[in-house]
Amino acid sequence: IAGNENGVRGYPNFNAPTESGDALGDLGFNVINIANNHMMDMLPEGLAATINYWDTRPVTLIGGYKNTEDYNRARIVTVNDIDIAFLSYCYGTNGLSMPAGYDMIIPYLDEEVIRDQTAMARKEADFVVVSVHWGEDSYQPLTEQQKTFAKIFADCGVDVVVGHHPHLIQPMEWIEGTDGHRMLCAYSLGNYFSLMAKAENM
């Protein structure tokens, strides 16, 4: 959501109108993740505008961070006296990277960072949820990257992984970490809303 002045754009470089974000909030979505392979479609200025837009809404934003300090600050939502930490990662940004001179952080899948952030989240919260953009577009089988990082998340004591990117439903399973901790992993939820016409994408 890089600003209506940039126009509404579709594939391959997306830009949504602010009204779409307003509608999500009005519908009751209160944790918003923007980490995905299209988050740099409108270049760093577009990502900055997206983060700034969500800062005006009463939501918890994950997946896009203004700087390293912002990236390392746990996002915790309290529900019925239970503190839930939300973390977010993505596999890549379609070959686009953050140029020099910008402080924003794109949360790429990185084992060392994941171990540091999940350890911090477990100290500060009762429950840890990870939103992760991974896998291959319209590809049903799990990739080795998905399997590897799912095990890492389980070993780190994550409670739930919510996966997305393949645009179709992939398996959901319990994964046991090294300490016996069990994690629920939904590898890909499929599409909630899209213009994809194939049955498997619906």
Side-chain angles (χ1 to χ4, degrees):
I1 303 179
N4 292 351
E5 66 274 9
N6 292 303
V8 176
R9 297 169 184 248
Y11 183 83
N13 298 106
F14 294 96
N15 186 42
T18 55
E19 289 83 357
S20 63
D22 295 344
L24 283 175
D26 292 343
L27 286 168
F29 290 93
N30 52 19
V31 178
I32 301 291
N33 170 62
I34 61 171
N36 65 81
N37 58 306
H38 288 284
M39 64 189 295
M40 285 289 289
D41 278 6
M42 300 300 291
L43 305 178
E45 295 81 8
L47 178 57
T50 302
I51 294 171
N52 290 336
Y53 162 75
W54 284 115
D55 278 349
T56 70
R57 300 290 302 176
V59 302
T60 298
L61 179 67
I62 59 174
Y65 307 93
K66 296 177 180 178
N67 49 47
T68 302
E69 181 181 1
D70 186 36
Y71 185 34
N72 290 325
R73 178 176 61 83
R75 269 53 174 182
I76 297 176
V77 176
T78 302
V79 181
N80 296 331
D81 296 324
I82 299 172
D83 293 330
I84 306 169
F86 290 89
L87 302 173
S88 177
Y89 306 98
C90 66
Y91 75 89
T93 47
N94 295 344
L96 298 171
S97 57
M98 190 63 64
Y102 291 91
D103 294 329
M104 289 176 292
I105 301 293
I106 296 172
Y108 295 116
L109 282 164
D110 179 294
E111 182 175 352
E112 183 178 355
V113 171
I114 289 168
R115 291 190 181 280
D116 287 345
Q117 290 192 336
T118 52
M120 176 185 66
R122 290 186 67 189
K123 288 180 182 178
E124 297 185 23
D126 305 304
F127 199 82
V128 180
V129 176
V130 169
S131 176
V132 58
H133 208 71
W134 59 2
E136 292 186 21
D137 195 332
S138 295
Y139 184 67
Q140 190 77 56
L142 301 178
T143 65
E144 289 305 311
Q145 184 188 59
Q146 286 176 290
K147 296 174 186 177
T148 297
F149 277 96
K151 186 63 168 65
I152 290 170
F153 290 133
D155 289 344
C156 288
V158 170
D159 294 290
V160 172
V161 167
V162 180
H164 35 86
H165 174 65
H167 296 290
L168 41 74
I169 295 173
Q170 288 183 327
M172 183 163 58
E173 65 175 345
W174 291 97
I175 301 174
E176 187 169 308
T178 52
D179 62 354
H181 174 82
R182 296 179 78 230
M183 177 189 80
L184 184 63
C185 181
Y187 287 98
S188 176
L189 297 183
N191 287 336
Y192 177 71
F193 176 79
S194 82
L195 295 178
M196 291 181 162
K198 292 182 179 179
E200 60 266 29
N201 297 128
M202 298 182 186

